[in-house]
Amino acid sequence: MSERPLLSLVATLALGAVALVLAATLPPAALVVLNNTVTLALFGMGANLLLGTTGLLSFGQAIFFGIGSYLVAMSWFHGWTSFWVAASLAPVAGAVTALAVGALALRSRRWFFALLTLGFSQLFFTIAQKASSLTEGDSGIFGPMVPRALADPHGGSLFIVAVATVAVVLLWVISSSELGLTLRAIRDNARRAMGLGIDVYRTRLLAFVLSGAFCALAGVLDAVNQQAAYPGLLDWEHSGDAVIVSVIGGMSSFLGPVLGAVVYQIGHDFLVRATLHWQLALGVVLLLTVMLFPDGLARLPRPGLWRDAWRAVRGRAGGGGPR
Amino acid sequence: MSSLTRALVIAAALSAAGAAHADTIKIGAPLVMSGPFGSVGKSALEGLQMAVDDINAAGGLLGSQIEVVAADDAGKPATANTVTKAMILNDGVKALFPGSNSAAAVAVEALAGQYEVPALYYSAADISITTTNFNKYAFQLSASTYMDPRAIARYLAKNDFTKVFTLTPDYNFGHSYVTNFLAGMKEAGLTPNVVGEQYPAIGTTDFSSYISAIVAAEPEFVFVGLFGGDLMTFIRQAKGYGLFEKTHVGAPNATDVLETLKGDAPAGMYLWARAPFFSMDRYPEVQKLAARYHDKIGAWPPEWPILAYTAVQIWADAVRRAGTFDAGPVAEALVDHATDTIRGPVAIRDCDHQADAQTYIGRIAATVDERYGFPLLEDLSVIDGGDVRMACDEAVSLQRK
Amino acid sequence: MSLGDVASYLLSGLASAAILFLVAAGITLVFGGLRIVNVAHGSLYMYGAFIVASPFLALDALGAGAFWLKLALAPVLVGLIGAAVEIVVLRRLYHREHLAQLLATFALFYIFADLAQQIWGTAYRSVGAPAVLSGQVALFDRVFPVYSLFVVAVAVVTGLGLFALLRFTMLGWKVRAAVEDPELLSVTGTDVNAVSTLIFVLGAVLAGLAGAVVAPLQAVSLGMDASILVGAFIVAIVGGLGSIAGAALGAVAIGIFQAFAVVLIPSWSSVVVYLTMILLLAFRPEGLLGRAE
């Protein structure tokens, strides 16, 4: 996102406008697909704040997504508070949890960080399964947990699109701010950033907290869409979904995860109905993206792309080895 | 012909053509077709399809042909939610025949109530379906977790077991099963002494510690509530630890156990099931269905295809009597009427839509039956659902308003 | 708790540890040698199990011998799959950042899962152990399955063999050298590419062996790939990524802990395991026997 940040903002607003129109006009069956896509896009954008912008691979963002969904669900099920209060508190809850998790997790680097977040994801997943008096365990919580206006297909969709668009604009503000610059500096060369006087640990932690807030918001939107919360929302495979869409769409492009979400969701929904082998297609697309198009699909229309892809397939000539 | 008459003729022709195209009615089946319990959904689908084929061959239902829309929910509530919503919104299904576990059942039931589509359950059995999660469009055709364990307790009463160890999966079904078994024992005049209560997670692959714990506790009866792949794993491992020689063990899913383990099935083990065809000689239609399934698939059917076939029969009968596919009248027609099905008459009562489903219980025979290649159940008992259902007052009081 | 009880839990724990070790050893070897976190390792394990649990060509006609043949065949076939993966996919990504390799194995996880469904269908499979291993052995007034002892024996033999291979053979020396200093190794004329493939294949063979050995113990079904993965990673991490001895230590610790925890703190045993992994990674990421970075 170093080039043309303003273009990203314009694109975001344009996409948001298009999505609003779709949310108002599509038939209910198609709205489910739209909602899934927008929610996944926000989830991916939230996770990409860590992955693409800060260079941190986390397999734990589903924790915060799940917290968002569960807060809405449990507030309804146990009668704690209204939907609007729960929805507003969700990003805060996500941020606070992220602070606790991140403080511990960011003590380690690279693969250890990734594996650590994976461990946390599974830990929270297990807690959601076991604390059944709160969460209803493996059965999950299903039912009319959102106000009438949002349970209505169009009302719900408009809400989801509107909130997501505002959230992505907020992410744009963060990304194009000095914080964003700092994060990218850390991503590119953490040691040099430290030499420049940047507190790498604290800044990463801030990114982690912000990412947690946005992922929790995505969870709230998911609760509006599915009217459900269940432990599977918190496991590492769901965390992996956010990573997949960011990679496919392009980690280093601001709207990359959105593109990735569109490709993933539409592909998934279409493929699931056409054939049972959507996992194969997903795996192949991801593999090809990683091997041939490391910058993701967002950077596809670029001169010299195919030449670079061919080179990537051949690997560096001869040697190289495991390092 | 005047232009008005021509227009009317064309309009009539078009509407007739339109009606001819609207001749296919769809029913939805969110089923578990993958993972350790995949055989439940896949075999159930066969039963659903056979029932639909038979209806279509006999001229359809109310003049329309029926089509099954099936989708894999992988036994997960989230997936069940997604695929069921798609069936309702995209395919406009007129009824749901969920063939998955109790966790997925909760999700489907919420949708059935929200979108007003009758859902007939025959595999998921958790009591919450007819109580805490109940809505007027949900129907339970099998013995619930309230009924099954009570049926078994009655059967065991003659043995005077008191020291009991329970092993059930760690979710709503598992906990409910145990509570109701212990209550059933008390109602049958026994005083249960629980020497152990374990709740392994679904998909546990290593039961050796649980088995060691059971052996250490020296129970007189082990009440196992596992099913599908988990149950097979448990039995194989338990055999290795000599559990079946040390104590009595009972588990559900008789058909799966016998047909999968065949000669390896531990003789003397207590098993129960809802529709084991080999113990249902008095229902010739069931035997015919079993033979038909065997001819097509090459293996003998578990209980799911029989239960699924019956479910479609019951729904179709209600549709005929209501004279429409609309949810409201069909839901009304489904209750308080004894429908003749391949497994005898089935009646659904009004207060909680629970059918008077039977439970078959017996012990594994020592020798393999030549016809089928697996041992059958001896000391067989059939407990009628009407005797072990929850009292209506209690059920209604648990239902959410 | 009587002596028989303790012995019982210890043996169950060791039997679980044996499987965990076999899977974790492959993970730790590949990480130590190639710095790759192989998410598809669970898939290779599952394939090993399916090969043993399914009818294979006409082998079953051989009766009792079929099991042994499949047991020997499974690691070989899975090893070949591993070779294909390394040559076709991973080798082309060595010059890229490690994230790319992890994501590639993640993609392969999905691909393998789908292919498994196409080859073996969605039903679970149940296979019995051969008669000679199906018996029971009496110890401390308890009865134990012979097969569990067999699994422990396989793990011990494999572990010792692996250790010897890496410590005392030329091949093992090359593997360790490839880890320490690949440039220097290539100067000696060794084909470093071949060594990388060998390391990966070895990891795959271990995964396939683990799956093959575990097949008679449980229902073999789709989903085995994901369910073994987290546990095996935890063991490898606790032991120290890159250390075979560490994997053994971690496996025994976690296997035995879980065996006792299941009866003592049933609901929260898995929570304790995850917490251990988290704390270890945060404060001692090199695990028990790994080397500090």
Side-chain angles (χ1 to χ4, degrees):
Chain A
M1 155 114 185
S2 34
E3 343 90 43
R4 302 183 282 184
L6 213 53
L7 184 63
S8 300
L9 180 62
V10 171
T12 304
L13 292 170
L15 275 175
V18 168
L20 274 172
V21 170
L22 288 175
T25 55
L26 285 177
L31 282 178
V32 172
V33 178
L34 178 67
N35 294 343
N36 285 338
T37 308
V38 171
T39 309
L40 182 60
L42 182 59
F43 187 31
M45 297 282 313
N48 205 35
L49 183 62
L50 282 179
L51 181 60
T53 314
T54 320
L56 284 172
L57 170 62
S58 163
F59 272 107
Q61 299 316 92
I63 297 170
F64 316 111
F65 187 103
I67 284 176
S69 293
Y70 264 106
L71 201 55
V72 169
M74 289 192 290
S75 302
W76 165 76
F77 194 77
H78 296 289
W80 291 338
T81 179
S82 81
F83 165 79
W84 301 105
V85 172
S88 313
L89 282 177
V92 176
V96 168
T97 316
L99 185 62
V101 171
L104 194 57
L106 284 166
R107 294 177 51 93
S108 64
R109 296 148 295 158
R110 292 205 284 175
W111 328 279
F112 295 119
F113 175 75
L115 291 171
L116 230 166
T117 54
L118 193 150
F120 266 113
S121 210
Q122 289 304 103
L123 178 67
F124 277 87
F125 165 71
T126 307
I127 292 175
Q129 277 183 316
K130 300 289 181 181
S132 36
S133 46
L134 269 179
T135 62
E136 293 294 290
D138 263 315
S139 304
I141 302 176
F142 292 83
M145 55 183 68
V146 300
R148 281 275 152 113
L150 301 182
D152 167 63
H154 290 289
S157 210
L158 284 166
F159 176 76
I160 290 173
V161 170
V163 170
T165 310
V166 170
V168 174
V169 169
L170 272 172
L171 277 166
W172 179 88
V173 169
I174 293 172
S175 189
S176 51
S177 72
E178 197 172 309
L179 174 60
L181 268 168
T182 315
L183 291 174
R184 281 190 289 280
I186 294 176
R187 173 195 70 189
D188 291 334
N189 195 326
R191 211 160 283 189
R192 186 153 54 128
M194 241 190 299
L196 288 171
I198 296 173
D199 187 335
V200 171
Y201 175 79
R202 281 249 179 99
T203 319
R204 278 179 173 154
L205 185 57
L206 181 56
F208 199 80
V209 166
L210 288 169
S211 174
F214 282 100
C215 292
L217 188 60
V220 168
L221 297 183
D222 192 64
V224 172
N225 178 28
Q226 289 207 75
Q227 302 204 61
Y230 45 90
L233 288 174
L234 293 138
D235 67 16
W236 73 269
E237 285 171 272
H238 191 220
S239 293
D241 286 347
V243 172
I244 290 176
V245 301
S246 300
V247 171
I248 294 179
M251 301 182 284
S252 47
S253 318
F254 178 68
L255 286 174
V258 175
L259 179 60
V262 171
V263 170
Y264 177 91
Q265 194 63 51
I266 310 261
H268 172 273
D269 286 349
F270 175 68
L271 280 169
V272 159
R273 288 174 72 75
T275 157
L276 289 170
H277 302 301
W278 66 271
Q279 276 182 306
L280 183 66
L282 174 66
V284 168
V285 169
L286 185 61
L287 191 61
L288 287 176
T289 311
V290 169
M291 290 181 72
L292 303 178
F293 309 118
D295 292 323
L297 295 173
R299 292 278 161 84
L300 218 46
R302 172 169 71 84
L305 175 78
W306 292 99
R307 181 197 61 213
D308 287 345
W310 180 241
R311 277 224 202 104
V313 168
R314 304 269 304 285
R316 287 277 166 75
R323 297 292 182 112
Chain B
M1 202 188 278
S2 77
S3 51
L4 176 60
T5 320
R6 196 173 304 167
L8 284 171
V9 167
I10 293 172
L14 279 174
S15 60
H21 272 291
D23 241 2
T24 309
I25 295 290
K26 297 188 187 172
I27 56 174
L31 308 162
V32 54
M33 297 204 275
S34 55
F37 311 113
S39 57
V40 173
K42 295 182 86 176
S43 56
L45 182 58
E46 294 294 331
L48 290 174
Q49 195 57 61
M50 285 187 201
V52 163
D53 288 343
D54 288 350
I55 291 174
N56 288 340
L61 191 58
L62 296 185
S64 302
Q65 297 282 291
I66 311 291
E67 187 187 317
V68 179
V69 176
D72 181 14
D73 70 9
K76 295 186 180 153
T79 319
N81 194 19
T82 312
V83 304
T84 308
K85 226 191 230 183
M87 283 175 197
I88 295 175
L89 295 175
N90 292 346
D91 298 293
V93 297
K94 294 293 181 194
L96 292 165
F97 295 87
S100 187
N101 60 26
S102 298
V106 173
V108 173
E109 196 169 8
L111 291 171
Q114 186 184 341
Y115 291 99
E116 297 182 355
V117 179
L120 289 88
Y121 290 94
Y122 48 90
S123 66
D126 188 50
I127 186 67
S128 65
I129 294 173
T130 49
T131 54
T132 48
N133 292 317
F134 178 77
N135 63 64
K136 64 182 268 209
Y137 293 99
F139 299 87
Q140 177 57 274
L141 302 178
S142 286
S144 67
T145 51
Y146 183 91
M147 297 160 67
D148 240 0
R150 281 179 166 71
I152 291 119
R154 285 191 177 205
Y155 177 84
L156 291 175
K158 55 187 178 194
N159 291 301
D160 205 21
F161 294 135
T162 46
K163 291 176 70 181
V164 171
F165 197 111
T166 70
L167 186 74
T168 56
D170 193 13
Y171 71 116
N172 55 357
F173 166 88
H175 292 270
S176 166
Y177 226 41
V178 171
T179 315
N180 285 292
F181 178 65
L182 296 174
M185 282 187 82
K186 293 192 191 122
E187 285 163 25
L190 299 165
T191 325
N193 172 14
V194 181
V195 294
E197 226 176 288
Q198 289 290 346
Y199 299 96
I202 298 183
T204 298
T205 51
D206 190 352
F207 288 98
S208 48
S209 304
Y210 296 102
I211 297 167
S212 297
I214 294 173
V215 170
E218 292 177 354
E220 287 165 333
F221 183 74
V222 184
F223 180 72
V224 177
L226 304 170
F227 43 89
D230 290 356
L231 183 57
M232 300 313 137
T233 304
F234 170 76
I235 294 177
R236 277 204 194 280
Q237 291 175 2
K239 280 184 79 173
Y241 284 88
L243 185 66
F244 298 98
E245 282 89 45
K246 293 186 196 282
T247 178
H248 297 280
V249 184
N253 254 197
T255 48
D256 272 337
V257 173
L258 295 170
E259 289 163 13
T260 309
L261 296 176
K262 299 196 171 70
D264 283 343
M269 179 180 176
Y270 293 84
L271 286 177
W272 55 92
R274 298 169 192 161
F277 76 92
F278 43 83
S279 302
M280 296 168 83
D281 292 326
R282 55 183 165 145
Y283 299 119
E285 293 295 314
V286 171
Q287 306 309 314
K288 268 196 244 165
L289 189 70
R292 194 170 151 194
Y293 185 95
H294 184 250
D295 285 339
K296 181 177 179 210
I297 307 287
W300 293 102
E303 46 198 356
W304 320 110
I306 298 163
L307 294 168
Y309 190 101
T310 312
V312 176
Q313 276 191 309
I314 293 172
W315 172 74
D317 185 68
V319 167
R320 276 184 211 110
R321 283 180 289 113
T324 170
F325 288 102
D326 292 343
V330 170
E332 304 244 330
L334 277 167
V335 295
D336 288 336
H337 176 91
T339 310
D340 242 330
T341 71
I342 56 171
R343 59 182 175 107
V346 175
I348 305 174
R349 68 180 183 185
D350 187 29
C351 65
D352 62 353
H353 293 183
Q354 173 68 57
D356 53 359
Q358 303 155 327
T359 305
Y360 291 75
I361 317 171
R363 306 183 65 176
I364 302 182
T367 51
V368 166
D369 185 293
E370 280 165 8
R371 285 171 295 169
Y372 306 118
F374 53 80
L376 305 187
L377 294 175
E378 52 189 21
D379 286 347
L380 190 76
S381 239
V382 183
I383 311 287
D384 186 30
D387 295 339
V388 287
R389 277 187 292 204
M390 184 187 273
C392 258
D393 299 337
E394 198 186 334
V396 171
S397 72
L398 289 168
Q399 289 166 3
R400 197 186 274 264
K401 283 298 149 247
Chain C
M1 215 184 265
S2 73
L3 193 60
D5 293 343
V6 172
S8 198
Y9 295 131
L10 272 174
L11 189 63
S12 330
L14 281 175
S16 319
I19 302 292
L20 282 173
F21 167 70
L22 286 171
V23 183
I27 290 178
T28 215
L29 187 66
V30 167
F31 183 84
L34 303 171
R35 285 291 182 269
I36 291 177
V37 172
N38 181 12
V39 179
H41 197 82
S43 317
L44 297 169
Y45 163 82
M46 183 172 73
Y47 275 54
F50 265 114
I51 290 172
V52 168
S54 329
F56 203 78
L57 305 177
L59 280 180
D60 284 325
L62 289 159
F67 174 79
W68 296 103
L69 265 167
K70 285 194 273 186
L71 186 62
L73 203 58
V76 171
L77 287 175
V78 174
L80 285 172
I81 297 175
V85 165
E86 201 274 341
I87 294 172
V88 173
V89 175
L90 292 173
R91 193 180 286 187
R92 298 169 203 289
L93 295 173
Y94 286 143
H95 63 284
R96 298 267 302 278
E97 69 283 2
H98 297 285
L99 171 62
Q101 292 151 25
L102 192 153
L103 288 172
T105 62
F106 191 38
L108 287 167
F109 173 83
Y110 276 105
I111 294 174
F112 283 137
D114 196 285
L115 288 175
Q117 187 176 316
Q118 297 199 42
I119 301 172
W120 290 294
T122 54
Y124 63 81
R125 287 159 192 272
S126 194
V127 69
V132 65
L133 291 175
S134 299
Q136 293 158 350
V137 93
L139 276 167
F140 296 111
D141 83 304
R142 287 297 175 75
V143 158
F144 297 100
V146 168
Y147 198 80
S148 293
L149 296 171
F150 171 67
V151 171
V152 174
V154 168
V156 168
V157 167
T158 308
L160 290 173
L162 207 54
F163 201 71
L165 178 80
L166 290 172
R167 210 25 97 84
F168 302 123
T169 66
M170 187 63 161
L171 202 61
W173 176 85
K174 285 189 186 167
V175 167
R176 285 188 297 141
V179 171
E180 311 274 346
D181 200 334
E183 278 100 27
L184 194 55
L185 183 63
S186 61
V187 159
T188 66
T190 311
D191 182 357
V192 180
N193 275 347
V195 177
S196 315
T197 309
L198 183 69
I199 294 173
F200 198 80
V201 166
L202 203 51
V205 165
L206 285 168
L209 178 64
V213 160
V214 94
L217 281 175
Q218 57 183 253
V220 175
S221 71
L222 303 172
M224 276 178 81
D225 48 3
S227 59
I228 192 70
L229 203 60
V230 180
F233 261 111
I234 292 179
V235 166
I237 289 166
V238 165
L241 279 171
S243 163
I244 303 285
L249 200 58
V252 168
I254 292 195
I256 293 185
F257 168 76
Q258 281 191 315
F260 280 93
V262 146
V263 277
L264 294 174
I265 43 162
S267 282
W268 301 95
S269 55
S270 44
V271 170
V272 175
V273 172
Y274 291 128
L275 276 173
T276 310
M277 170 197 184
I278 288 167
L279 289 171
L280 209 57
L281 275 174
F283 295 104
R284 196 190 155 87
E286 65 269 19
L288 295 173
L289 296 183
R291 298 172 312 151
E293 285 282 299

